[in-house]
């Protein structure tokens, strides 16, 4: 403590808490996990469409329809 003009001043070392640093391995790990999930879902979707030909044909028609509509604009 220090006295300045009769007023007590408390001097403390203030340290900011260290923020958690996100390293390269954390980013690569989360990217790999995301890619595995996406590839897994696409594989399941592909297997489902191959087992249900009517749904596959309807999906292809819908995709072509939306592509044609988007190209007209």
């Amino acid at each position: 403590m220090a006295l300045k003009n009769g007023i007590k001043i408390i001097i403390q070392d203030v340290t900011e808490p260290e923020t958690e640093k996100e390293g390269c391995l954390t980013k690569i790990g989360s990217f790999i996990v995301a890619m595995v999930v996406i590839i897994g879902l696409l594989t399941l979707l592909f297997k489902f469409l191959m087992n249900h030909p009517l749904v596959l044909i309807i999906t292809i028609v819908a995709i072509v329809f939306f592509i044609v509509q988007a190209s007209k604009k």
Side-chain angles (χ1 to χ4, degrees):
M1 277 197 265
L3 287 174
K4 183 175 182 182
N5 297 332
I7 299 173
K8 289 183 181 179
I9 300 173
I10 300 173
I11 301 171
Q12 294 179 343
D13 291 335
V14 178
T15 57
E16 294 182 14
E18 290 186 26
T19 57
E20 193 174 309
K21 296 179 181 176
E22 191 171 323
C24 182
L25 290 177
T26 305
K27 291 180 182 177
I28 292 174
S30 61
F31 177 75
I32 290 173
V33 168
M35 290 306 295
V36 166
V37 169
I38 290 170
I39 291 171
L41 289 175
L42 287 175
T43 305
L44 290 174
L45 178 66
F46 181 74
K47 286 181 181 179
F48 174 78
L49 291 176
M50 289 297 115
N51 289 331
H52 300 84
L54 183 62
V55 177
L56 176 64
I57 293 169
I58 293 172
T59 304
I60 291 172
V61 169
I63 291 171
V64 169
F65 176 76
F66 285 121
I67 290 173
V68 169
Q69 292 297 321
S71 65
K72 285 183 181 179
K73 293 182 180 180

